[in-house]
Amino acid sequence: VYEIQPQTAPGGRSSVAFWEAMMTVGPVLGAIIPPAAVWLLGGFQGFEWIGEDVTVADAFGLIGAMSFPFAAFLFARDRCSRARAQASRSWPTVPGVVQSSAVEERQTRLGGANYRLTVRYTYQASGRERESDRVAFGPRWVENEGLIEALGRKYPAGAAVTVHVDPEAADIAVLETTAFSNLTKMWLAAAVPFVLTATVAIRPLFHSR
């Protein structure tokens, strides 16, 4: 029987807590900052929702207020996953056994594909047998097929594994102490205001011809 004792490195929990908070605070700031910045720079003068063409600055402020919150949330979530992975490196470890393992693929709306390793493993911690399906922190689906294929070979069904167990919650466990990352959606959300604002800026050039 393996008893889990707190061994998390100082600062690990605080970093996780900070980025968890930023998943709430970040989107709020993302919604406020773009229109506030445009307004402070003199934008939204005589602005009307209907019947008037918006200026480039007004367009950026409005579109940014809708798009940047998503980008901020996805960025904070990625950083939180990295912080959790960093903290897990100092977690105590126990032996475990992979009960099932399979690589899955799904098509995306953009014509690409994402992959994940669906795994289930058991381990003994704090006096009883437990089960987890977490390979690493971060999104379950990633674009890196090679990474998932390699993990599938590393963790086949029946394999003996080393399980990193949260010393404060023995039901939370992970096999890899690095975080998966998939920031395509974040970059798309961040780029939308710039792309659409550029469209607003060049539209009069075509109308004048």
Side-chain angles (χ1 to χ4, degrees):
V1 176
Y2 292 82
E3 292 296 331
I4 303 304
Q5 301 297 327
Q7 297 179 18
T8 303
R13 296 287 180 186
S14 61
S15 181
V16 171
F18 171 79
W19 287 111
E20 284 180 339
M22 287 303 297
M23 283 193 288
T24 299
V25 176
V28 175
L29 295 176
I32 293 174
I33 290 176
V38 170
W39 179 77
L40 290 173
L41 293 174
F44 298 118
Q45 298 297 321
F47 173 80
E48 295 183 12
W49 285 103
I50 300 175
E52 294 290 338
D53 290 335
V54 297
T55 66
V56 173
D58 294 349
F60 183 84
L62 293 172
I63 300 169
M66 294 183 286
S67 185
F68 283 165
F70 294 100
F73 171 79
L74 293 172
F75 177 77
R77 186 178 66 175
D78 180 76
R79 299 302 302 182
C80 186
S81 296
R82 293 173 186 267
R84 286 171 173 161
Q86 178 69 32
S88 71
R89 294 172 189 172
S90 63
W91 288 356
T93 59
V94 300
V97 178
V98 177
Q99 303 298 322
S100 62
S101 177
V103 173
E104 297 183 7
E105 175 184 351
R106 72 175 182 185
Q107 300 299 309
T108 68
R109 293 180 179 178
L110 298 177
N114 286 337
Y115 307 87
R116 75 173 178 180
L117 177 63
T118 302
V119 66
R120 184 175 61 86
Y121 55 93
T122 55
Y123 60 97
Q124 290 280 342
S126 297
R128 67 182 181 85
E129 184 173 87
R130 301 172 188 271
E131 181 179 297
S132 178
D133 62 355
R134 186 183 299 279
V135 179
F137 290 106
R140 299 281 183 170
W141 294 91
V142 299
E143 298 171 344
N144 192 333
E145 180 182 8
L147 170 64
I148 300 303
E149 292 285 356
L151 290 173
R153 292 190 295 270
K154 184 177 180 180
Y155 300 116
V161 294
T162 298
V163 183
H164 300 258
V165 183
D166 188 334
E168 296 183 8
D171 284 328
I172 299 177
V174 68
L175 297 179
E176 296 286 318
T177 57
T178 55
F180 291 154
S181 182
N182 193 0
L183 294 179
T184 300
K185 292 181 180 179
M186 186 205 78
W187 290 115
L188 287 174
V192 164
F194 297 96
V195 174
L196 294 184
T197 300
T199 302
V200 171
I202 66 175
R203 186 177 60 180
L205 299 178
F206 293 97
H207 288 176
S208 63
R209 292 181 179 180

